[in-house]
Amino acid sequence: MTKNFYITTPIYYPSAKPHMGHAYTSIIADFFARFKKIQGSNVFFLTGTDEHGLKIQRAAEKKGMNPKDFCDQISKTFKNLSKTLNLSNSDFIRTTEERHSKSVVNLWNILEKKNEIYLSKYSGWYSVSDEAFYSEDEVEDVDGAKKATSSGSIVEWVEEESFFFKLSQWQKPLLKFYEENPTFILPESRKNEVVSFVKSGLKDLSVSRKSFSWGIKVPSNKDHVIYVWLDALTNYLSALNYPDINNKLFKNFWPASLHLIGKDILRFHAVYWPAFLLAAGIPPPKRVYGHGWILSGDEKMSKSKGNILDPIEIIEKYGIDSLRYYLIKEVSFGNDGNISKEKLISCINSDLANNFGNLCQRVIAFNEKNFNLEIPKKINFTDSDLNVLDDFKINYQKLIKYIDDQDINSYINFIIKHLFIANKYFNDEEPWKKKSDILRLNTIIYVALELIRKITIMLYPVIPESSLKVLKIFEIAENEINFESIKNHIFLKKGSKISKINILFKKVDNND
Ligand code: ME8
C-alpha cells in the first residue's frame, strides 16, 4: 500500500526578500519530500507566504503601498525562489487567498462554538517583528529599549480589547499528548524546552487584534482581526481544502507527517497549534522538527540584523546543487550552523567535483574507450566486489530509518563514505591493467557503474539536477527512480548502451 507523506515548510513573511535561512528550511524540506517520493510514498509538499498582520501592514506602509499589492510583489519573489531552489512542492499557499480565509473562519467558528474563545482585554508586551505576545518576565531592558529576551526584538506596550483562547485549559492535555507521542517534537533537546515551558503553566492566549485591520476579520465581531499566528498556522489545513474534511487531499494527508520549522517558531507549532487543533477536535500533526539557525559569524542571519547571505547570488555563481549539497551536508542538522564561502568552495571541490564528479567521469571515460559505451555483458562477482556492493543492501533499512528520524547527517555520511569506497575500488582494482582478463575487466566496470548508480540515487534528494544528469546516462528517468533499487546489484541491463556525460561540477578557485 502506498504511504502518504505530508511535509510543510513555515509560510514565510513577505516583509522583505527571501534570505539564506528561508532557503535552508525549504531545501531540507525538499530533500525529505524527494526522498519519500523515491521511496514510493505519495507526497504532498507545501510551502507559501504568511501575508497578514501588523508586521506586513507596516512594511507595506513604509513602501507607501497597500498591503495586498505589497504582498503580491514579494510573495512572487518567494514563489520564484521555490523554482530557483528546485523545490518539488505540490502547492504554494498564500494566506490572502480565499481558500485560506474560508478555512480560518471555519476553525475560528468551531473554537467559538466550543466555548474555547472569550472576549476580554489584553494589556502587555507585543513584538511586531515576532508577531508574538510576551509576558513581563520574557522581556528585558537593553540600552533603554524593551526587548524580548528570546529573540532580541523590540516589544511595544499594547492595551486593547481582545479575544482570548483558553490555552490555560490545555496544559494537561498537551502534556499528555507529548507523553503519548514522544517523537512529536524533535530534536529531543527542543522537546524538553517545550515540555518545561508548558509545565511552568500556560496563560490564555490573545487571538485577535483591534488596533489595525490587515487580517482576516473575526466572523462574529468585525472590529477584530484574527491573530496572525492562528491565521498562519491554519495554512497547513487550508491547502488540503479544509473545512471539506471528506475530500481526498484532507483524507490522505492530514494529520501532517512533518512540519519542518526553525527553532524560533517552535512554541507556535508545538504548543499553540496542537492546542488549537485538540480544542477543535482535529488531530494534531505527527511531528514538528525545529532545526537550528544558520549563523553569520555568531549571530542568527536575519533581515533585522542585516547580515544576510543572498542565496540567489550564491546560486548564480556556484549553481543550485552546490548550495543544496553544502547546506544539507555542512550544517549539523538540528543545531546552529555557521556558513561561509570558504566551506562552500571546499565542499564543491572535494566532495562534488573530486569525489562524485570525478568518479562518474573516469568510469564513463574508461568505459567509452574500452567498451564503446556499452554495459559489459559477462560478469562474475568476486568477494571483493560483493563487499562494496552489499553495503547498500545491508544498510537499506538503516538508511530509511535515518530519514524517518530526520538524521540527515548520518545519511550524508553514508554517501560520502561510499564515494570514497567507490573511488578506492576503482583505483585498487586497476582495470587498466586487466585488459587481458576480460571477465575481470567486465566485472570491475560493471561494479563501478553499479556503484555510481546506487550513490547517484542516494544523492537525488540532495542534488536532484546533477543526479538526473548522471541517471540519464543509464536512461533512468526521474519518475523511474526507486530507492529500493539500491539493494539490487544487477540492476543495469547487461549489453545496453550508456551515454557520455558532461562535466558535473567545475572546481572553483578559492579567490573566485
Ligand atoms: O516566522 N536560519 O516567517 P519568517 C535558519 N511567517 N532558518 C531560518 C533563519 C536562519 N537564520 N531565518 C529564518 C515566520 N529561517 C512565520 C511562520 S508558519 C505557520 C508562519 C527559516 O519569514 C526558519 O524556518 O520569519 C524559520 O522558522 C522561518 O524561516 C521563519 O520565517
Side-chain angles (χ1 to χ4, degrees), residues 178-202:
Y178 301 147
E179 207 170 303
E180 285 169 357
N181 300 278
T183 58
F184 169 63
I185 305 165
L186 284 182
E188 189 74 17
S189 58
R190 303 249 147 78
K191 173 188 162 177
N192 298 338
E193 281 166 32
V194 170
V195 170
S196 50
F197 170 74
V198 174
K199 274 190 177 152
S200 72
L202 295 174

Side-chain angles (χ1 to χ4, degrees), residues 334-360:
N335 300 319
D336 291 349
N338 226 303
I339 63 170
S340 72
K341 215 178 98 180
E342 291 72 31
K343 280 201 220 152
L344 168 69
I345 290 177
S346 136
C347 256
I348 298 173
N349 288 346
S350 63
D351 290 11
L352 295 174
N354 264 356
N355 267 350
F356 181 53
N358 210 16
L359 174 73
C360 299

Side-chain angles (χ1 to χ4, degrees), residues 9-14 19-22 24-25 50 55 78 229 232-236 260-265 269 291-295 300-303:
T9 72
I11 45 169
Y12 306 113
Y13 290 125
H19 61 75
M20 195 60 89
H22 300 128
Y24 179 67
T25 312
D50 179 1
K55 179 173 169 130
F78 276 90
W229 272 101
L233 288 159
T234 308
N235 89 87
Y236 302 131
L260 186 69
I261 55 166
K263 64 181 182 181
D264 47 334
I265 54 175
H269 283 80
H291 66 64
W293 284 337
I294 301 288
L295 304 174
K300 178 180 178 234
M301 199 180 292
S302 75
K303 286 167 256 195

Side-chain angles (χ1 to χ4, degrees), residues 78-229:
F78 276 90
K79 209 167 183 175
N80 290 341
L81 182 72
S82 308
K83 296 209 175 75
T84 314
L85 298 176
N86 198 6
L87 303 188
S88 57
N89 55 305
S90 325
D91 199 349
F92 185 100
I93 191 150
R94 301 181 54 188
T95 54
T96 45
E97 288 174 81
E98 165 97 31
R99 60 170 171 161
H100 175 70
S101 53
K102 220 171 84 186
S103 166
V104 175
V105 163
N106 192 81
L107 182 63
W108 178 282
N109 284 339
I110 291 179
L111 293 174
E112 214 176 58
K113 217 159 129 197
K114 292 197 171 212
N115 215 10
E116 295 286 346
I117 283 175
Y118 63 94
L119 190 62
S120 182
K121 191 179 164 195
Y122 178 79
S123 43
W125 299 104
Y126 192 78
S127 156
V128 178
S129 172
D130 304 342
E131 294 282 21
F133 301 94
Y134 288 110
S135 60
E136 196 62 52
D137 57 348
E138 289 175 311
V139 302
E140 58 188 7
D141 262 314
V142 183
D143 306 326
K146 283 271 187 201
K147 291 188 173 173
T149 313
S150 56
S151 65
S153 61
I154 295 209
V155 294
E156 48 197 70
W157 186 255
V158 170
E159 270 189 44
E160 65 187 32
E161 186 187 68
S162 175
F163 283 95
F164 281 80
F165 170 71
K166 293 179 182 168
L167 184 63
S168 57
Q169 294 191 353
W170 289 94
Q171 180 190 20
K172 277 206 180 118
L174 278 174
L175 291 170
K176 185 165 168 263
F177 177 73
Y178 301 147
E179 207 170 303
E180 285 169 357
N181 300 278
T183 58
F184 169 63
I185 305 165
L186 284 182
E188 189 74 17
S189 58
R190 303 249 147 78
K191 173 188 162 177
N192 298 338
E193 281 166 32
V194 170
V195 170
S196 50
F197 170 74
V198 174
K199 274 190 177 152
S200 72
L202 295 174
K203 287 197 211 92
D204 288 352
L205 179 72
S206 169
V207 284
S208 77
R209 297 292 312 266
K210 206 179 172 183
S211 52
F212 63 91
S213 58
W214 181 237
I216 299 172
K217 299 245 180 304
V218 168
S220 56
N221 186 334
K222 306 280 187 217
D223 292 339
H224 289 251
V225 293
I226 295 174
Y227 176 38
V228 64
W229 272 101

